[in-house]
mmCIF file of all heavy atoms in Angstrom:
data_model
loop_
_atom_site.group_PDB
_atom_site.id
_atom_site.type_symbol
_atom_site.label_atom_id
_atom_site.label_comp_id
_atom_site.label_asym_id
_atom_site.label_seq_id
_atom_site.Cartn_x
_atom_site.Cartn_y
_atom_site.Cartn_z
ATOM 1 N N GLY A 259 44.820 19.129 -24.029
ATOM 2 C CA GLY A 259 44.062 20.291 -23.574
ATOM 3 C C GLY A 259 43.858 20.308 -22.066
ATOM 4 O O GLY A 259 44.475 19.537 -21.348
ATOM 5 N N PRO A 260 42.984 21.204 -21.571
ATOM 6 C CA PRO A 260 42.876 21.420 -20.123
ATOM 7 C C PRO A 260 42.056 20.371 -19.360
ATOM 8 O O PRO A 260 42.026 20.408 -18.140
ATOM 9 C CB PRO A 260 42.198 22.809 -20.036
ATOM 10 C CG PRO A 260 41.400 22.923 -21.303
ATOM 11 C CD PRO A 260 42.155 22.149 -22.358
ATOM 12 N N GLY A 261 41.351 19.507 -20.035
ATOM 13 C CA GLY A 261 40.530 18.504 -19.317
ATOM 14 C C GLY A 261 39.135 19.009 -19.008
ATOM 15 O O GLY A 261 38.341 18.281 -18.392
ATOM 16 N N TYR A 262 38.830 20.229 -19.404
ATOM 17 C CA TYR A 262 37.480 20.761 -19.207
ATOM 18 C C TYR A 262 37.205 21.749 -20.344
ATOM 19 O O TYR A 262 38.119 22.107 -21.081
ATOM 20 C CB TYR A 262 37.326 21.472 -17.859
ATOM 21 C CG TYR A 262 38.316 22.615 -17.627
ATOM 22 C CD1 TYR A 262 38.106 23.875 -18.183
ATOM 23 C CD2 TYR A 262 39.483 22.402 -16.887
ATOM 24 C CE1 TYR A 262 39.009 24.905 -18.002
ATOM 25 C CE2 TYR A 262 40.407 23.433 -16.698
ATOM 26 C CZ TYR A 262 40.148 24.689 -17.246
ATOM 27 O OH TYR A 262 41.056 25.701 -17.080
ATOM 28 N N ILE A 263 35.939 22.139 -20.524
ATOM 29 C CA ILE A 263 35.630 23.234 -21.431
ATOM 30 C C ILE A 263 35.021 24.383 -20.639
ATOM 31 O O ILE A 263 34.679 24.207 -19.478
ATOM 32 C CB ILE A 263 34.666 22.797 -22.574
ATOM 33 C CG1 ILE A 263 33.367 22.218 -22.013
ATOM 34 C CG2 ILE A 263 35.347 21.847 -23.543
ATOM 35 C CD1 ILE A 263 32.254 22.152 -23.027
ATOM 36 N N GLU A 264 34.868 25.502 -21.329
ATOM 37 C CA GLU A 264 34.218 26.663 -20.708
ATOM 38 C C GLU A 264 32.954 26.977 -21.493
ATOM 39 O O GLU A 264 32.898 26.681 -22.679
ATOM 40 C CB GLU A 264 35.126 27.865 -20.740
ATOM 41 C CG GLU A 264 36.364 27.715 -19.904
ATOM 42 C CD GLU A 264 37.387 28.779 -20.319
ATOM 43 O OE1 GLU A 264 37.240 29.920 -19.884
ATOM 44 O OE2 GLU A 264 38.301 28.422 -21.088
ATOM 45 N N ASP A 265 32.015 27.632 -20.847
ATOM 46 C CA ASP A 265 30.854 28.139 -21.591
ATOM 47 C C ASP A 265 30.317 29.347 -20.835
ATOM 48 O O ASP A 265 30.645 29.559 -19.667
ATOM 49 C CB ASP A 265 29.780 27.034 -21.709
ATOM 50 C CG ASP A 265 28.815 27.323 -22.857
ATOM 51 O OD1 ASP A 265 29.181 28.050 -23.805
ATOM 52 O OD2 ASP A 265 27.685 26.824 -22.807
ATOM 53 N N THR A 266 29.477 30.097 -21.514
ATOM 54 C CA THR A 266 28.886 31.276 -20.891
ATOM 55 C C THR A 266 27.411 31.019 -20.667
ATOM 56 O O THR A 266 26.716 30.516 -21.562
ATOM 57 C CB THR A 266 29.041 32.507 -21.827
ATOM 58 O OG1 THR A 266 30.423 32.645 -22.157
ATOM 59 C CG2 THR A 266 28.552 33.779 -21.201
ATOM 60 N N LEU A 267 26.952 31.317 -19.451
ATOM 61 C CA LEU A 267 25.521 31.120 -19.132
ATOM 62 C C LEU A 267 25.108 32.233 -18.183
ATOM 63 O O LEU A 267 25.837 32.531 -17.225
ATOM 64 C CB LEU A 267 25.335 29.738 -18.459
ATOM 65 C CG LEU A 267 23.890 29.335 -18.178
ATOM 66 C CD1 LEU A 267 23.210 28.798 -19.423
ATOM 67 C CD2 LEU A 267 23.873 28.222 -17.117
ATOM 68 N N CYS A 268 23.935 32.839 -18.438
ATOM 69 C CA CYS A 268 23.449 33.944 -17.640
ATOM 70 C C CYS A 268 24.540 35.017 -17.462
ATOM 71 O O CYS A 268 24.708 35.583 -16.361
ATOM 72 C CB CYS A 268 22.978 33.451 -16.255
ATOM 73 S SG CYS A 268 21.568 32.351 -16.346
ATOM 74 N N GLY A 269 25.303 35.265 -18.514
ATOM 75 C CA GLY A 269 26.314 36.317 -18.486
ATOM 76 C C GLY A 269 27.561 35.968 -17.719
ATOM 77 O O GLY A 269 28.450 36.805 -17.557
ATOM 78 N N LEU A 270 27.698 34.744 -17.239
ATOM 79 C CA LEU A 270 28.865 34.340 -16.471
ATOM 80 C C LEU A 270 29.649 33.253 -17.230
ATOM 81 O O LEU A 270 29.081 32.527 -18.038
ATOM 82 C CB LEU A 270 28.464 33.810 -15.100
ATOM 83 C CG LEU A 270 27.679 34.771 -14.188
ATOM 84 C CD1 LEU A 270 27.178 34.019 -12.957
ATOM 85 C CD2 LEU A 270 28.566 35.935 -13.787
ATOM 86 N N ASN A 271 30.942 33.171 -16.886
ATOM 87 C CA ASN A 271 31.794 32.151 -17.534
ATOM 88 C C ASN A 271 31.911 30.948 -16.613
ATOM 89 O O ASN A 271 32.157 31.073 -15.426
ATOM 90 C CB ASN A 271 33.168 32.803 -17.772
ATOM 91 C CG ASN A 271 34.106 31.822 -18.456
ATOM 92 O OD1 ASN A 271 35.007 31.286 -17.832
ATOM 93 N ND2 ASN A 271 33.874 31.591 -19.731
ATOM 94 N N PHE A 272 31.674 29.765 -17.178
ATOM 95 C CA PHE A 272 31.712 28.543 -16.364
ATOM 96 C C PHE A 272 32.731 27.551 -16.917
ATOM 97 O O PHE A 272 32.836 27.335 -18.104
ATOM 98 C CB PHE A 272 30.337 27.862 -16.338
ATOM 99 C CG PHE A 272 29.345 28.619 -15.507
ATOM 100 C CD1 PHE A 272 28.466 29.519 -16.098
ATOM 101 C CD2 PHE A 272 29.320 28.467 -14.134
ATOM 102 C CE1 PHE A 272 27.558 30.241 -15.326
ATOM 103 C CE2 PHE A 272 28.403 29.185 -13.344
ATOM 104 C CZ PHE A 272 27.527 30.065 -13.938
ATOM 105 N N ARG A 273 33.457 26.904 -15.983
ATOM 106 C CA ARG A 273 34.312 25.775 -16.314
ATOM 107 C C ARG A 273 33.513 24.507 -16.049
ATOM 108 O O ARG A 273 32.859 24.389 -15.019
ATOM 109 C CB ARG A 273 35.547 25.847 -15.396
ATOM 110 C CG ARG A 273 36.430 24.638 -15.444
ATOM 111 C CD ARG A 273 37.543 24.771 -14.441
ATOM 112 N NE ARG A 273 37.385 23.740 -13.417
ATOM 113 C CZ ARG A 273 38.286 23.510 -12.457
ATOM 114 N NH1 ARG A 273 39.364 24.277 -12.369
ATOM 115 N NH2 ARG A 273 38.085 22.552 -11.574
ATOM 116 N N LEU A 274 33.606 23.578 -16.987
ATOM 117 C CA LEU A 274 32.783 22.349 -16.894
ATOM 118 C C LEU A 274 33.678 21.123 -17.042
ATOM 119 O O LEU A 274 34.145 20.824 -18.143
ATOM 120 C CB LEU A 274 31.737 22.341 -17.996
ATOM 121 C CG LEU A 274 30.903 23.610 -18.158
ATOM 122 C CD1 LEU A 274 30.226 23.655 -19.504
ATOM 123 C CD2 LEU A 274 29.870 23.701 -17.029
ATOM 124 N N SER A 275 33.866 20.401 -15.939
ATOM 125 C CA SER A 275 34.626 19.151 -16.013
ATOM 126 C C SER A 275 33.712 18.030 -16.514
ATOM 127 O O SER A 275 32.477 18.158 -16.401
ATOM 128 C CB SER A 275 35.146 18.792 -14.631
ATOM 129 O OG SER A 275 36.022 19.765 -14.161
ATOM 130 N N PRO A 276 34.284 16.955 -17.035
ATOM 131 C CA PRO A 276 33.430 15.936 -17.611
ATOM 132 C C PRO A 276 32.414 15.343 -16.603
ATOM 133 O O PRO A 276 31.311 14.999 -16.965
ATOM 134 C CB PRO A 276 34.402 14.836 -18.096
ATOM 135 C CG PRO A 276 35.755 15.238 -17.654
ATOM 136 C CD PRO A 276 35.718 16.678 -17.271
ATOM 137 N N ARG A 277 32.810 15.238 -15.377
ATOM 138 C CA ARG A 277 31.953 14.623 -14.362
ATOM 139 C C ARG A 277 30.834 15.551 -13.867
ATOM 140 O O ARG A 277 29.901 15.108 -13.240
ATOM 141 C CB ARG A 277 32.847 14.205 -13.173
ATOM 142 C CG ARG A 277 32.249 13.283 -12.173
ATOM 143 C CD ARG A 277 32.165 11.865 -12.756
ATOM 144 N NE ARG A 277 31.623 10.949 -11.756
ATOM 145 C CZ ARG A 277 30.325 10.869 -11.423
ATOM 146 N NH1 ARG A 277 29.452 11.668 -11.987
ATOM 147 N NH2 ARG A 277 29.931 10.022 -10.517
ATOM 148 N N SER A 278 30.953 16.854 -14.168
ATOM 149 C CA SER A 278 30.006 17.825 -13.629
ATOM 150 C C SER A 278 28.726 17.894 -14.478
ATOM 151 O O SER A 278 28.765 17.848 -15.696
ATOM 152 C CB SER A 278 30.616 19.251 -13.618
ATOM 153 O OG SER A 278 31.759 19.234 -12.798
ATOM 154 N N PHE A 279 27.610 18.088 -13.783
ATOM 155 C CA PHE A 279 26.325 18.282 -14.445
ATOM 156 C C PHE A 279 26.294 19.656 -15.094
ATOM 157 O O PHE A 279 26.743 20.650 -14.532
ATOM 158 C CB PHE A 279 25.202 18.156 -13.408
ATOM 159 C CG PHE A 279 23.853 18.441 -13.994
ATOM 160 C CD1 PHE A 279 23.106 17.404 -14.542
ATOM 161 C CD2 PHE A 279 23.328 19.713 -14.034
ATOM 162 C CE1 PHE A 279 21.857 17.659 -15.101
ATOM 163 C CE2 PHE A 279 22.106 19.995 -14.580
ATOM 164 C CZ PHE A 279 21.339 18.950 -15.132
ATOM 165 N N TYR A 280 25.702 19.710 -16.290
ATOM 166 C CA TYR A 280 25.422 20.992 -16.951
ATOM 167 C C TYR A 280 24.200 20.763 -17.817
ATOM 168 O O TYR A 280 24.152 19.814 -18.582
ATOM 169 C CB TYR A 280 26.630 21.372 -17.823
ATOM 170 C CG TYR A 280 26.603 22.767 -18.397
ATOM 171 C CD1 TYR A 280 26.458 23.885 -17.604
ATOM 172 C CD2 TYR A 280 26.813 22.974 -19.768
ATOM 173 C CE1 TYR A 280 26.490 25.175 -18.148
ATOM 174 C CE2 TYR A 280 26.824 24.243 -20.313
ATOM 175 C CZ TYR A 280 26.668 25.349 -19.494
ATOM 176 O OH TYR A 280 26.697 26.620 -20.038
ATOM 177 N N GLN A 281 23.159 21.598 -17.664
ATOM 178 C CA GLN A 281 21.914 21.406 -18.432
ATOM 179 C C GLN A 281 22.234 21.279 -19.917
ATOM 180 O O GLN A 281 23.045 22.036 -20.450
ATOM 181 C CB GLN A 281 20.945 22.561 -18.201
ATOM 182 C CG GLN A 281 20.180 22.487 -16.885
ATOM 183 C CD GLN A 281 19.140 21.374 -16.849
ATOM 184 O OE1 GLN A 281 19.040 20.547 -17.764
ATOM 185 N NE2 GLN A 281 18.374 21.335 -15.776
#
Side-chain angles (χ1 to χ4, degrees):
Y262 57 81
I263 56 163
E264 295 163 79
D265 201 24
T266 305
L267 185 79
C268 296
L270 301 171
N271 181 255
F272 289 96
R273 170 183 115 174
L274 311 162
S275 298
R277 194 74 178 76
S278 299
F279 176 90
Y280 189 54
Q281 281 289 7

